[in-house]
Amino acid sequence: MNASVAPTAPIRVLIADDHALVREGLRYVLDADPGIEVVGEASNGRTAVDLALQHVPDVVVLDITMPEESGLKAAARLREALPDTRVLLLSMHDQGEYVREGMRIGTHGYLLKDSAGEELRAAIRAVHAGGTFFSPAVVRRLTSTEVVSEGAPAAQLDLLTPRERDVLAGVARGLTNKAIAAELGISRRTVEAHRESLMRKLQIHSVAGLTRFALETGIITDA
């Protein structure tokens, strides 16, 4: 007789947005997924942090523009107080400065409010698994408005070994080092070494920057 498999605990999510209708919509989308449980709602950044300290969720979905305390300020406090909690920024804005500030703080993804419900659920699952998630529109905006680094991207790509290109593709797709290792059949330590090497060669040290580079050079075609 096969041993019974213990059910997987749902991903515990806290949502924060200053509009009640938006929060209701987010809850409706997330409640449709039995693998996700909404443990709290907040209407401003300050309350979001307080509730996060109380419930210790796996993922916090934060609107950027909120009264009393912005989502970015709340995200910075959350990253310090609850380093194991993943933070996903939610906004109607795709401006690069918001995305860059979120990355500087250490948030794990950036989703636009006009995204489909399945994209929100996918983003939560991705960041909970240890990866990152950026709306394709955000990546396209960054790609079209920013220069990754000096020199032609194609020439920089020639600096990478085939295995470094494989690792770069995994990073740009939001995979963790462990997931990349499993996909390529190599150790996680080897992935880490390739990742450090390719970042040093490209002089790019953020996931968003690597994703832009991968898009520009055709290593991946969508984010």
Side-chain angles (χ1 to χ4, degrees):
M1 181 180 294
N2 293 330
S4 60
V5 178
T8 302
I11 303 170
R12 303 174 69 254
V13 177
L14 173 71
I15 55 180
D17 193 287
D18 59 327
H19 294 98
L21 283 176
V22 173
R23 294 197 305 275
E24 183 177 337
L26 292 173
R27 178 180 279 276
Y28 178 81
V29 167
L30 299 182
D31 282 345
D33 190 328
I36 298 175
E37 177 188 2
V38 178
V39 298
E41 298 180 22
S43 59
N44 60 69
R46 185 169 302 153
T47 302
V49 174
D50 291 342
L51 288 176
L53 292 173
Q54 177 183 341
H55 295 288
V56 192
D58 299 310
V59 179
V60 177
V61 179
L62 278 175
D63 181 24
I64 287 183
T65 307
M66 290 188 290
E68 295 190 37
E69 185 169 282
S70 72
L72 288 171
K73 187 172 181 180
R77 291 211 290 141
L78 285 169
R79 295 297 298 133
E80 183 175 352
L82 297 172
D84 292 332
T85 293
R86 312 289 285 180
V87 178
L88 177 64
L89 295 176
L90 183 67
S91 178
M92 66 178 65
H93 307 292
D94 63 355
Q95 284 95 327
E97 59 267 26
Y98 288 129
V99 183
R100 287 192 298 271
E101 179 62 14
M103 291 188 295
R104 186 193 68 77
I105 292 168
T107 59
H108 307 96
Y110 195 106
L111 193 67
L112 295 180
K113 283 188 174 182
D114 61 0
S115 302
E118 180 52 41
E119 189 172 359
L120 171 61
R121 293 190 290 265
I124 288 172
R125 289 192 291 269
V127 300
H128 177 254
T132 58
F133 192 100
F134 293 88
S135 284
V138 171
V139 177
R140 285 194 294 270
R141 169 60 68 89
L142 290 172
T143 302
S144 65
T145 60
E146 298 181 7
V147 177
V148 173
S149 59
E150 292 186 7
Q156 290 177 287
L157 185 61
D158 290 339
L159 299 175
L160 304 183
T161 67
R163 186 58 85 191
E164 287 171 347
R165 297 185 191 195
D166 292 339
V167 171
L168 171 60
V171 172
R173 285 161 46 213
L175 300 181
T176 63
N177 288 345
K178 181 178 179 181
I180 295 171
E183 186 175 276
L184 298 180
I186 57 181
S187 71
R188 183 162 58 180
R189 182 167 295 183
T190 300
V191 171
E192 292 170 353
H194 285 312
R195 186 167 177 161
E196 291 175 2
S197 176
L198 70 90
M199 287 192 297
R200 184 175 63 253
K201 289 179 179 179
L202 299 177
Q203 309 235 325
I204 303 173
H205 302 284
S206 71
V207 171
L210 292 173
T211 301
R212 293 196 303 272
F213 181 86
L215 284 167
E216 287 186 345
T217 54
I219 286 182
I220 61 172
T221 57
D222 201 355

